[in-house]
Amino acid sequence: MTVDLNSRYGLNPAHSEVVEACKIIELGKANEPCNALDMGCSNGRNALYLSQLGFNVTAVDNNPSAIHMLQQIISEENIDNIQAQVYDINNASLTKDFGFIACTVTLMFLDPSRVNAVIANMQERTLPGGYNLIVCAMSTAAHPCPMPFRFTFKEGQLAEAYQGWELVKYNEDLGTMHNGAQLQFATMLARKTE
Ligand SMILES: C[S@@+](CC[C@H](N)C(=O)[O-])C[C@H]1O[C@@H](n2cnc3c(N)ncnc32)[C@H](O)[C@@H]1O
């Protein structure tokens, strides 16, 4: 039986959209595990989940103490399929290719002037047939974002950025944050055409 590493280390379960996406994404050709990137991994709740499913995971965050904690878990558990690195996503300088890139509730903390470049870099570094998962806060006329996030999507903006990709899942549903704030979230699982 697989040990639940998230609860062993006091981490929340993986983001529900990561769990849902993994039900759709094949692990790659002939079921070989593909390379996955967790953008803004914090202390690794999604990275550990992906690792346990057999993905080869690169986990990046600009918070060195979060990466340090994840590295300690990796070392204690002798995990050989997660590479955790300090990286500023604003640089948009990914150089490796991935079959799956997950970026859950992270874009809203980036420099707004860099988000287009970050998305373009994610798209470029996704293998044909590979997937991008994005969950990000929105601010719309109907539901102005009540949180002071640096970046939020406008209506339809994320779908527009992924024109030419297959939108496997896309919605801009109203959600409630743990503090009770109501706002829309853009939720997208997109597949790059082969
Ligand atoms: C709300 S947490 C989300 C963590 C994780 N993706 C999840 O679903 O639980 C946002 C994360 O983005 C990271 N972050 C914010 N700005 C960043 C940047 N410029 N580069 C890399 N990581 C960043 C933060 O350190 C934090 O760990």
Side-chain angles (χ1 to χ4, degrees):
M1 200 179 84
T2 312
V3 179
D4 180 354
L5 292 181
N6 289 47
S7 50
R8 177 179 285 176
Y9 289 93
L11 303 178
N12 286 330
H15 193 290
S16 57
E17 294 297 341
V18 172
V19 176
E20 288 302 307
C22 289
K23 292 180 188 162
I24 293 169
I25 299 167
E26 344 162 29
L27 291 186
K29 303 274 180 270
N31 274 345
E32 288 298 317
C34 75
N35 291 335
L37 173 65
D38 183 6
M39 304 245 298
C41 61
S42 187
N43 35 32
R45 65 169 176 154
N46 297 326
L48 289 168
Y49 180 78
L50 292 168
S51 142
Q52 290 195 288
L53 289 184
F55 287 88
N56 296 315
V57 186
T58 301
V60 298
D61 203 286
N62 69 345
N63 180 344
S65 48
I67 293 296
H68 179 66
M69 179 180 161
L70 178 54
Q71 281 168 340
Q72 281 188 319
I73 297 173
I74 291 168
S75 154
E76 269 173 49
E77 299 292 334
N78 290 313
I79 295 170
D80 62 5
N81 64 352
I82 304 181
Q83 290 190 323
Q85 297 161 3
V86 175
Y87 167 74
D88 184 349
I89 297 169
N90 286 315
N91 290 338
S93 58
L94 302 172
T95 51
K96 203 172 139 188
D97 292 333
F98 298 94
F100 178 35
I101 300 180
C103 186
T104 52
V105 285
T106 294
L107 289 181
M108 54 243 228
F109 301 100
L110 300 187
D111 174 349
S113 73
R114 297 297 297 154
V115 170
N116 285 346
V118 168
I119 290 176
N121 185 224
M122 287 170 66
Q123 293 176 334
E124 188 191 352
R125 304 278 38 137
T126 304
L127 292 164
Y131 293 82
N132 283 183
L133 172 69
I134 291 178
V135 178
C136 179
M138 301 182 67
S139 190
T140 65
H143 297 284
C145 182
M147 304 288 294
F149 295 129
R150 287 183 83 190
F151 171 79
T152 48
F153 279 116
K154 301 290 171 217
E155 223 168 304
Q157 188 181 351
L158 180 57
E160 199 175 317
Y162 275 81
Q163 271 181 19
W165 289 50
E166 178 194 351
L167 296 187
V168 179
K169 175 174 189 172
Y170 188 85
N171 67 63
E172 299 185 344
D173 291 350
L174 193 59
T176 306
M177 295 193 58
H178 44 79
N179 63 2
Q182 283 216 313
L183 63 150
Q184 282 175 258
F185 282 88
T187 300
M188 181 202 74
L189 179 66
R191 184 170 183 269
K192 187 171 181 173
T193 46
E194 299 197 55

